[in-house]
Amino acid sequence: MNKWLTLLAKVFAWLAVAAVLAVVLLFLGFLVVRGLSTFNLGLFFGKTPVWAAIAGRLPVWHGIWPACVGTVFLVLLASGLAIPLGVASGIYLAHYAQGAWKRWFGLAVEVLAGIPSILMGLFGFALILFLKKTIMPQANTCLLLSACCLALLVLPYLIFMTQTTLESLPEELRLAGLSLGFTPWQNMLHVLLPAASRGILSGVILAVGRAAEDTAVILLTGVVANAGLPSGILDKYEALPFHIFYLASQARNEAELAKGFGTALILLLITAALFLGAYYLKSTVTKSWDQKDLLI
Amino acid sequence: MGSKGPVDLEPTVVVEELHVGFAGREVLHGLSAEFHRGRLAMILGRSGSGKTTFLRALNRLNECFPQSETRGSLRVKLQGHWRDIYENGLPLPELRHRVGMVFQTPHLLPLSIAENLALPLKLILGLPRREIPARTARALEEAHLWEEVKDRLKAPAHILSGGQQQRLCLARLLALEPEILLLDEPTASLDFRAALKVEELLLSLKERYTVIAVSHSLSQARRLADAALIFRDGSVVQRLSRADLQARDILPTLLEEIF
């Protein structure tokens, strides 16, 4: 009986893995088959000369270049806001918060994690309306507002990952530095954070991925279908997820729909590139940490 | 031990009426003791008798654990000045590198061998980069480790054997030029040979430092200790001099007390 159960569990586990792999491959294959044919300079720049478009001298119509730039800016800005805040909150929860306060703060983070992205978008929209009516009549939805709302959306991933990784480090690692006479801050910066960098990086990757794909938040806070390159963080912008949504709902023929698939593939590639960037950053951090050459 | 040591020797650590508790449960009940430079004092007793807590009271490491409470007087002579370590504001980091500690298992920093010594030198003493190699080499020599690691200073510290790791931890302490060494069962995680090497090292160190070591082993105490405190349930139940430890007829009662 027991033997059969074990076998059954094994088969089920294998099937589950196979199913997940199959879905991922099917999904990628589908995107490639439908979208790859649209890959050319026209997809990015329409009929605008490439260098003029990249330099921003001529506007791009019917190309996804402004949306690519918008998405990269958006993700970088949102990560730049969320990563320091999230990591700092995680450190606070893991090492400094105590008792009831820690429970309440932890609960608040959980609530934040449960807020649907459309609500975060509404919050941003309401915030701008409020500012417009009170102290800043010129305020408008823009790249910065979207980035702030996205940062709020991804903050819980960063906090959770930082907190759980720091809390799972062995006690002896914490005591080693402290017993030598490191201040708590030196111990955090030079011993604990580097040791936790792998876990924190997982949080960063989750956050970047989430920030790159979210459509609901930016829909209400500043993205538009045709803005060209954003001229600043207080400007309206284009973004890839919204562009995909737009193409999918407004496509008038097969060719336009195919562009949607091509755009989705580009979004996937950009996210992958951001992940690779994060990995590279992490490996240089840990490398310089492992092999500091003070003796040379 | 105070009464049984030579009278002309002034102690370097004086503990009076030390109470330590965690979350309202008292672990040490009004303990008093004295320790001297140039001597190795050993603390013996069952698990849970408060030995480690006592050591950690001496470098205030108990405060790294939740809800710890310490009362009593704990005076230490550092650089010729008496300091009450819980009273007159000796900064914690300074106290901890002057009163260095080695743990039961090697507590390495996950760095290279050299960096394990260099990072504390840089961060705690603020030593300029050019002075670090010489200081590192000197400490490794003092810990009888230099010959074994001089060709692979940049290798990760965790590839060393257990005994070497423990001596590396000692070298890391010695590089910071402490005055008092706290050793929490430094040979407990080592095999016989590695333990002997560490013991040899301790014998050579005790001339220049005040050494306070916790041990489980009576035979180790007989080999190394100049004095011993027997702990039971958070109190000192017996104080022994070196002569007491060597005396044959004391063995049965000691075994009874400790195990």
Side-chain angles (χ1 to χ4, degrees), chain B residues 25-253:
Chain B
R25 205 180 66 84
E26 199 171 82
V27 179
L28 296 182
H29 316 289
L31 222 142
S32 301
E34 288 182 358
F35 302 94
H36 301 78
R37 173 183 285 266
R39 286 212 247 158
L40 194 153
M42 215 160 241
I43 297 169
L44 298 159
R46 290 186 195 133
S47 307
S49 58
K51 306 186 298 281
T52 298
T53 304
F54 177 71
L55 275 198
R56 288 180 176 171
L58 295 173
N59 65 353
R60 294 181 61 176
L61 206 59
N62 283 327
E63 288 161 44
C64 296
F65 296 87
Q67 300 182 53
S68 77
E69 249 179 89
T70 308
R71 283 185 293 121
S73 140
L74 221 162
R75 291 183 304 131
V76 178
K77 197 172 185 182
L78 293 174
Q79 296 175 307
H81 299 290
W82 280 103
R83 308 274 212 146
D84 189 322
I85 63 171
Y86 284 89
E87 296 270 317
N88 49 356
L90 185 65
L92 256 188
E94 192 182 337
L95 170 75
R96 288 192 182 142
H97 88 251
R98 299 232 172 266
V99 184
M101 180 169 223
V102 170
F103 297 84
Q104 194 164 351
T105 52
H107 283 27
L108 297 172
L109 300 171
L111 301 164
S112 69
I113 295 171
E115 192 60 22
N116 256 281
L117 283 92
L119 187 68
L121 285 175
K122 197 177 76 166
L123 291 184
I124 298 169
L125 300 188
L127 226 57
R129 192 179 280 245
R130 63 178 188 286
E131 286 178 26
I132 289 179
R135 184 94 163 233
T136 303
R138 192 153 25 100
L140 284 170
E141 263 165 22
E142 203 181 351
H144 301 181
L145 193 61
W146 176 248
E147 286 302 318
E148 290 158 70
V149 300
K150 65 179 180 192
D151 301 323
R152 44 176 178 160
L153 287 172
K154 276 196 230 156
H158 62 78
I159 65 163
L160 296 176
S161 73
Q164 289 172 328
Q165 288 186 13
Q166 204 60 310
R167 278 180 283 145
L168 181 65
C169 289
L170 262 166
R172 192 172 60 187
L173 277 192
L174 299 177
L176 294 169
E177 299 184 341
E179 294 177 49
I180 296 163
L181 300 180
L182 308 175
L183 313 170
D184 191 357
E185 298 192 47
T187 60
S189 63
L190 306 181
D191 64 45
F192 180 67
R193 279 170 166 280
L196 272 189
K197 278 208 138 166
V198 172
E199 283 187 11
E200 246 171 60
L201 170 62
L202 295 184
L203 278 176
S204 74
L205 289 178
K206 78 176 187 187
E207 304 301 327
R208 277 163 298 140
Y209 302 92
T210 308
V211 186
I212 307 173
V214 162
S215 177
H216 254 113
S217 151
L218 189 56
S219 53
Q220 188 174 51
R222 286 161 70 95
R223 282 195 298 275
L224 300 180
D226 299 303
L229 297 178
I230 315 292
F231 273 40
R232 199 192 318 165
D233 300 329
S235 306
V236 179
V237 292
Q238 216 170 347
R239 293 160 200 264
L240 303 165
S241 67
R242 182 156 184 86
D244 293 338
L245 278 168
Q246 303 304 330
R248 216 160 255 287
D249 53 333
I250 202 170
L251 259 183
T253 39

Side-chain angles (χ1 to χ4, degrees), chain A residues 247-271:
Chain A
L247 283 177
S249 56
Q250 310 282 323
R252 280 161 300 180
N253 51 47
E254 273 298 309
E256 276 190 26
L257 197 60
K259 270 191 177 177
F261 286 108
T263 311
L265 208 51
I266 293 293
L267 177 60
L268 214 59
L269 288 176
I270 286 184
T271 322

